Short mmCIF file of all heavy atoms in Angstrom, two decimals:
data_model
loop_
_atom_site.label_atom_id
_atom_site.label_comp_id
_atom_site.label_asym_id
_atom_site.label_seq_id
_atom_site.Cartn_x
_atom_site.Cartn_y
_atom_site.Cartn_z
N GLY L 159 98.02 94.79 97.70
CA GLY L 159 99.14 95.44 97.03
C GLY L 159 100.44 95.42 97.82
O GLY L 159 101.52 95.26 97.25
N LEU L 160 100.34 95.58 99.15
CA LEU L 160 101.54 95.73 99.96
C LEU L 160 102.04 94.43 100.57
O LEU L 160 103.23 94.31 100.86
CB LEU L 160 101.28 96.74 101.10
CG LEU L 160 100.89 98.15 100.66
CD1 LEU L 160 100.64 99.02 101.87
CD2 LEU L 160 101.98 98.75 99.80
N VAL L 161 101.18 93.47 100.77
CA VAL L 161 101.58 92.26 101.48
C VAL L 161 101.40 91.01 100.64
O VAL L 161 102.36 90.29 100.36
CB VAL L 161 100.79 92.12 102.80
CG1 VAL L 161 101.23 90.86 103.54
CG2 VAL L 161 100.99 93.34 103.69
N LEU L 162 100.17 90.76 100.20
CA LEU L 162 99.90 89.49 99.52
C LEU L 162 100.63 89.37 98.19
O LEU L 162 101.13 88.31 97.84
CB LEU L 162 98.39 89.34 99.32
CG LEU L 162 97.54 89.22 100.59
CD1 LEU L 162 96.09 88.96 100.24
CD2 LEU L 162 98.07 88.11 101.49
N SER L 163 100.70 90.46 97.42
CA SER L 163 101.41 90.39 96.14
C SER L 163 102.90 90.17 96.34
O SER L 163 103.55 89.48 95.56
CB SER L 163 101.17 91.68 95.34
OG SER L 163 101.66 92.81 96.04
N GLN L 164 103.46 90.75 97.42
CA GLN L 164 104.87 90.52 97.74
C GLN L 164 105.10 89.07 98.14
O GLN L 164 106.10 88.46 97.75
CB GLN L 164 105.30 91.46 98.87
CG GLN L 164 105.21 92.94 98.55
CD GLN L 164 106.23 93.36 97.51
OE1 GLN L 164 107.35 92.86 97.49
NE2 GLN L 164 105.85 94.27 96.64
N ALA L 165 104.19 88.53 98.92
CA ALA L 165 104.31 87.12 99.31
C ALA L 165 104.17 86.21 98.10
O ALA L 165 104.88 85.21 97.98
CB ALA L 165 103.26 86.79 100.36
N ALA L 166 103.25 86.56 97.20
CA ALA L 166 103.08 85.76 95.98
C ALA L 166 104.34 85.81 95.12
O ALA L 166 104.75 84.79 94.55
CB ALA L 166 101.88 86.28 95.19
N ASP L 167 104.96 86.97 95.04
CA ASP L 167 106.21 87.10 94.28
C ASP L 167 107.29 86.22 94.89
O ASP L 167 108.06 85.58 94.18
CB ASP L 167 106.64 88.56 94.26
CG ASP L 167 107.85 88.79 93.38
OD1 ASP L 167 107.77 88.51 92.18
OD2 ASP L 167 108.90 89.24 93.90
N TYR L 168 107.35 86.17 96.21
CA TYR L 168 108.34 85.34 96.89
C TYR L 168 108.08 83.86 96.63
O TYR L 168 109.01 83.08 96.41
CB TYR L 168 108.31 85.63 98.38
CG TYR L 168 109.22 84.74 99.20
CD1 TYR L 168 110.59 84.73 99.00
CD2 TYR L 168 108.69 83.89 100.17
CE1 TYR L 168 111.41 83.91 99.74
CE2 TYR L 168 109.51 83.07 100.92
CZ TYR L 168 110.87 83.08 100.70
OH TYR L 168 111.68 82.26 101.42
N LEU L 169 106.81 83.46 96.65
CA LEU L 169 106.48 82.05 96.38
C LEU L 169 106.85 81.67 94.95
O LEU L 169 107.33 80.57 94.70
CB LEU L 169 104.98 81.83 96.63
CG LEU L 169 104.54 81.83 98.09
CD1 LEU L 169 103.02 81.74 98.17
CD2 LEU L 169 105.17 80.69 98.85
N VAL L 170 106.61 82.58 94.01
CA VAL L 170 106.97 82.31 92.62
C VAL L 170 108.48 82.16 92.48
O VAL L 170 108.98 81.30 91.75
CB VAL L 170 106.44 83.42 91.69
CG1 VAL L 170 107.01 83.28 90.29
CG2 VAL L 170 104.92 83.38 91.64
N GLU L 171 109.23 83.00 93.19
CA GLU L 171 110.69 82.90 93.14
C GLU L 171 111.16 81.55 93.66
O GLU L 171 112.12 80.97 93.14
CB GLU L 171 111.31 84.03 93.96
CG GLU L 171 111.20 85.40 93.30
CD GLU L 171 111.82 86.50 94.15
OE1 GLU L 171 112.28 86.18 95.26
OE2 GLU L 171 111.82 87.65 93.70
N LYS L 172 110.50 81.02 94.68
CA LYS L 172 110.87 79.71 95.20
C LYS L 172 110.58 78.61 94.20
O LYS L 172 111.28 77.60 94.15
CB LYS L 172 110.12 79.43 96.51
CG LYS L 172 110.54 80.31 97.68
CD LYS L 172 109.88 79.88 98.97
CE LYS L 172 110.37 78.52 99.41
NZ LYS L 172 109.81 78.12 100.73
N GLN L 173 109.55 78.80 93.37
CA GLN L 173 109.21 77.78 92.38
C GLN L 173 110.13 77.83 91.17
O GLN L 173 110.13 76.90 90.35
CB GLN L 173 107.76 77.97 91.91
CG GLN L 173 106.73 77.88 93.03
CD GLN L 173 106.85 76.61 93.84
OE1 GLN L 173 106.94 75.53 93.28
NE2 GLN L 173 106.84 76.75 95.16
N GLU L 174 110.93 78.90 91.04
CA GLU L 174 111.85 78.99 89.90
C GLU L 174 112.82 77.81 89.88
O GLU L 174 113.15 77.28 88.81
CB GLU L 174 112.65 80.29 89.98
CG GLU L 174 111.88 81.53 89.63
CD GLU L 174 112.76 82.75 89.67
OE1 GLU L 174 113.58 82.92 88.75
OE2 GLU L 174 112.68 83.52 90.64
N ILE L 175 113.30 77.42 91.04
CA ILE L 175 114.26 76.33 91.13
C ILE L 175 113.64 75.05 90.56
O ILE L 175 114.28 74.33 89.78
CB ILE L 175 114.71 76.12 92.58
CG1 ILE L 175 115.48 77.35 93.08
CG2 ILE L 175 115.57 74.87 92.71
CD1 ILE L 175 115.88 77.27 94.53
N LEU L 176 112.40 74.77 90.95
CA LEU L 176 111.73 73.57 90.44
C LEU L 176 111.54 73.65 88.94
O LEU L 176 111.70 72.64 88.23
CB LEU L 176 110.39 73.41 91.14
CG LEU L 176 110.42 73.23 92.67
CD1 LEU L 176 109.00 73.13 93.21
CD2 LEU L 176 111.22 71.98 93.03
N LEU L 177 111.20 74.83 88.43
CA LEU L 177 111.01 74.99 87.00
C LEU L 177 112.30 74.76 86.23
O LEU L 177 112.33 74.02 85.23
CB LEU L 177 110.46 76.39 86.69
CG LEU L 177 110.29 76.75 85.21
CD1 LEU L 177 109.27 75.84 84.55
CD2 LEU L 177 109.89 78.21 85.05
N VAL L 178 113.39 75.38 86.68
CA VAL L 178 114.67 75.23 85.99
C VAL L 178 115.17 73.79 86.05
O VAL L 178 115.68 73.25 85.07
CB VAL L 178 115.72 76.21 86.59
CG1 VAL L 178 117.08 75.98 85.98
CG2 VAL L 178 115.28 77.65 86.37
N LYS L 179 115.00 73.14 87.20
CA LYS L 179 115.41 71.75 87.31
C LYS L 179 114.58 70.85 86.40
O LYS L 179 115.09 69.89 85.83
CB LYS L 179 115.28 71.28 88.76
CG LYS L 179 116.28 71.93 89.71
CD LYS L 179 116.20 71.36 91.10
CE LYS L 179 116.72 69.93 91.15
NZ LYS L 179 116.76 69.41 92.53
N ALA L 180 113.30 71.18 86.25
CA ALA L 180 112.45 70.40 85.36
C ALA L 180 112.86 70.57 83.89
O ALA L 180 112.84 69.61 83.12
CB ALA L 180 110.99 70.80 85.54
N LEU L 181 113.26 71.80 83.53
CA LEU L 181 113.69 72.05 82.15
C LEU L 181 114.99 71.32 81.82
O LEU L 181 115.23 70.97 80.67
CB LEU L 181 113.87 73.56 81.92
CG LEU L 181 112.59 74.40 81.97
CD1 LEU L 181 112.92 75.88 81.85
CD2 LEU L 181 111.62 73.99 80.87
N HIS L 182 115.82 71.09 82.84
CA HIS L 182 117.11 70.41 82.63
C HIS L 182 117.08 69.01 83.24
O HIS L 182 118.11 68.51 83.68
CB HIS L 182 118.24 71.23 83.26
CG HIS L 182 118.40 72.60 82.67
ND1 HIS L 182 118.98 72.82 81.44
CD2 HIS L 182 118.03 73.82 83.13
CE1 HIS L 182 118.97 74.11 81.17
NE2 HIS L 182 118.40 74.74 82.19
N MET L 183 115.91 68.40 83.23
CA MET L 183 115.75 67.10 83.89
C MET L 183 116.65 66.04 83.27
O MET L 183 117.24 65.21 83.96
CB MET L 183 114.29 66.67 83.82
CG MET L 183 113.97 65.38 84.56
SD MET L 183 112.23 64.93 84.36
CE MET L 183 111.42 66.40 85.02
#
Side-chain angles (χ1 to χ4, degrees):
L160 300 179
V161 181
L162 295 184
S163 61
Q164 298 291 324
D167 186 60
Y168 175 62
L169 288 174
V170 170
E171 287 179 358
K172 291 186 67 176
Q173 301 306 313
E174 286 183 74
I175 295 176
L176 299 178
L177 176 64
V178 175
K179 291 185 70 175
L181 293 175
H182 299 284
M183 184 182 302

